[in-house]
Amino acid sequence: MSQLKGACIIGQSGGPTSVINASAYGAIKTALESDCITKVLGARHGIKGVLDDDLIDMGKEDPKELEMMKFTPSSALGSCRYKLKDPDEDDTDYKRILEIFKKYDVRYFFYNGGNDSMDTCNKISKFMLKNGYDCRVMGIPKTIDNDLAGTDHCPGFASAAKYIATSVMEVYCDAHVYDTGMITIIECMGRHAGWLTAAAALAGIKGCGPDLIYLPEVDFDLDDFTKKVKDIYEQNKNCIVAVSEGIHDKDGTFIAEYANKNMAKDSFGHAQLGGLAAFLANHVKQATGAKVRGIELSLLQRCAAHCASQTDIDESFMAGKAAVENAVNGVTDKMVGFEREMVDGKYTCKVKLFDLSIVANTEKKVPRQWINNEGDGITDGFIDYALPLIQGQTKMTVEDGLPRFVHLKKVKAEA
């Protein structure tokens, strides 16, 4: 195979995580060290940065400063939610991307994101191939939702899961302080897949878990939920519930829509969920007369770098590194994923590649056998799956008692 020389572009897309920058750093560092890659460019705000010719030269950054990306939450290069149209319907964006690729002699494109980002990767890869432009395209996964098909788990999920489990334990301690009793509803992210909410069950292995857990994989019955909460509260004078923002009734209507019939939509047509905890808290308060608190974890789940899993950080870096190494070795049109192995009873993680066409726009749900028969709790199967992923405390640098995050110079790239 002939060696392919040229520049690379690395972009980040979709909702950020506490470790997405670890993946980007894995790709940037490896690309900077590669003999095949002549220049390493960062796309500001994902694919929009390519379309707008808003690229930064990562080679101009201080190597020591770049290293701080491993422990910096959110997307250091900037993110976007921009959906490319089908090129057969409108190829305007694709022609512009090809123009930019030619301008900077880009022969490698790495895109770091979730389901919709893998769709973008797939479309760009197919367009370049169709138009005879030699460019290797690799997807680097990220999503706290853990719903990308194929891979055992996704970078970002473990750290969010650790934050949720930790927060539930802390809320549990707080909620049991008073003798008057309380009902607490904790809303976790998860539109169609309940991986994050299931993570609340991890708190249970330390005796501080929720009484009830509801995932979108099972239809939600408001009356049955109300009765269960009431019964638990009357018996224990306390009740903690974890719910996915995307729980829905048997007709497919989001429970959050019960309170807001006119939900806004994002650029991908997804309903912008939120307010579920407040709605359920108000509903339960009316039904029980108890003191009720609704807690929406919201963005804290995906940006809590202080509570990141070091296992997640290391694997995220590995994903970015593997994407570049495989591309340089001739691989294209793939997403880097993970394969789990148990060696002498210990968890290990290996890189496995997946076709972008399989991954794009496919959601992986929590297996039904990991949800109890009543649909209001999590089985040990999930605990065994998730527990190895949250191991290890972050090794982030702390200055003046506060985390030290990356500060990029963001020098504009020159062709």
Side-chain angles (χ1 to χ4, degrees):
M1 182 198 68
S2 60
Q3 191 180 67
L4 182 62
K5 280 210 167 197
C8 80
I9 291 179
I10 297 168
Q12 298 172 303
S13 178
T17 80
S18 65
V19 298
I20 186 173
N21 287 324
S23 290
Y25 176 60
I28 292 167
K29 183 176 186 294
T30 308
L32 287 170
E33 295 170 350
S34 171
D35 294 333
C36 295
I37 297 178
T38 56
K39 186 177 286 189
V40 182
L41 307 175
R44 300 198 65 186
H45 306 293
I47 198 63
K48 292 182 74 174
V50 179
L51 293 168
D52 297 338
D53 196 359
D54 191 3
L55 306 174
I56 58 178
D57 189 340
M58 304 310 299
K60 303 290 187 182
E61 302 290 344
D62 183 322
K64 286 291 184 185
E65 191 64 33
L66 277 175
E67 196 173 345
M68 294 295 174
M69 289 181 70
K70 285 183 73 174
F71 308 104
T72 300
S74 189
S75 303
L77 302 178
S79 187
C80 70
R81 293 191 184 276
Y82 186 84
K83 189 173 182 65
L84 292 174
K85 296 178 181 178
D86 187 324
D88 292 332
E89 297 175 6
D90 185 350
D91 63 359
T92 305
D93 282 345
Y94 300 90
K95 288 179 177 177
R96 173 60 172 166
I97 292 168
L98 181 55
E99 178 187 349
I100 295 297
F101 280 13
K102 288 180 177 179
K103 176 180 177 179
Y104 292 94
D105 190 28
V106 173
R107 296 295 172 174
Y108 299 90
F109 179 66
F110 306 102
Y111 211 38
N112 191 189
N115 299 83
D116 294 316
S117 304
M118 294 307 111
D119 178 55
T120 296
C121 238
N122 187 42
K123 287 175 177 174
I124 291 174
S125 178
K126 299 301 188 290
F127 183 83
M128 296 301 158
L129 185 64
K130 183 178 179 181
N131 285 269
Y133 185 80
D134 200 356
C135 181
R136 295 171 188 167
V137 179
M138 295 289 289
I140 306 172
K142 88 63 238 180
T143 174
I144 62 171
D145 293 324
N146 200 39
D147 59 354
L148 287 174
T151 183
D152 177 79
H153 56 282
C154 301
F157 164 67
S159 293
K162 185 169 187 171
Y163 173 81
I164 289 169
T166 302
S167 297
V168 168
M169 290 178 68
E170 292 167 343
V171 168
Y172 180 97
C173 292
D174 188 278
H176 286 76
V177 167
Y178 303 108
D179 59 357
T180 51
M182 183 167 66
I183 298 171
T184 308
I185 315 288
I186 303 174
E187 177 184 342
C188 306
M189 286 181 171
R191 181 183 306 273
H192 299 302
W195 296 97
L196 285 173
T197 307
L202 292 168
I205 66 176
K206 296 300 179 183
C208 299
D211 298 286
L212 300 166
I213 301 176
Y214 291 95
L215 277 53
E217 280 81 357
V218 178
D219 293 341
F220 182 84
D221 186 299
L222 186 58
D223 292 335
D224 182 65
F225 159 79
T226 306
K227 182 181 184 306
K228 286 178 179 176
V229 170
K230 192 172 183 179
D231 289 346
I232 292 170
Y233 178 73
E234 288 178 353
Q235 181 177 343
N236 302 328
K237 294 302 178 189
N238 215 292
C239 181
I240 297 180
V241 184
V243 292
S244 285
E245 63 180 354
I247 57 170
H248 54 81
D249 61 24
K250 60 181 176 59
D251 297 320
T253 302
F254 289 121
I255 304 304
E257 289 187 87
Y258 285 21
N260 182 8
K261 301 291 185 183
N262 299 306
M263 282 187 168
K265 301 282 176 57
D266 65 17
S267 59
F268 288 94
H270 305 147
Q272 294 180 333
L273 301 176
L276 174 66
F279 167 74
L280 290 178
N282 183 60
H283 175 81
V284 168
K285 182 174 180 61
Q286 292 180 356
T288 64
K291 177 182 178 181
V292 185
R293 189 182 298 276
I295 301 173
E296 185 176 343
L297 296 180
S298 191
L299 300 184
L300 297 174
Q301 296 158 95
R302 70 187 195 192
C303 64
H306 67 284
C307 195
S309 151
Q310 187 61 42
T311 296
D312 195 16
I313 293 171
D314 293 341
E315 291 180 354
S316 298
F317 177 88
M318 179 175 71
K321 181 173 183 286
V324 175
E325 289 176 341
N326 278 279
V328 166
N329 288 328
V331 178
T332 187
D333 207 29
K334 303 285 186 180
M335 182 194 80
V336 175
F338 296 144
E339 183 176 42
R340 175 187 304 238
E341 283 189 357
M342 299 301 289
V343 179
D344 297 328
K346 293 184 178 180
Y347 162 84
T348 60
C349 181
K350 292 170 55 179
V351 166
K352 184 176 181 179
L353 302 181
F354 297 90
D355 290 339
L356 283 172
S357 56
I358 295 174
V359 177
N361 295 312
T362 303
E363 288 183 309
K364 178 181 68 176
K365 305 293 186 69
V366 176
R368 184 62 182 85
Q369 64 266 29
W370 289 357
I371 306 170
N372 67 8
N373 292 334
E374 294 76 19
D376 59 12
I378 304 302
T379 68
D380 288 342
F382 174 83
I383 302 297
D384 295 339
Y385 164 84
L387 198 57
L389 308 181
I390 67 170
Q391 300 306 306
Q393 297 302 111
T394 174
K395 300 172 184 174
M396 69 163 47
T397 298
V398 176
E399 296 177 353
D400 299 320
L402 296 169
R404 170 66 161 86
F405 294 152
V406 70
H407 302 291
L408 297 177
K409 290 184 288 188
K410 298 182 179 178
V411 178
K412 186 167 179 59
E414 296 180 0

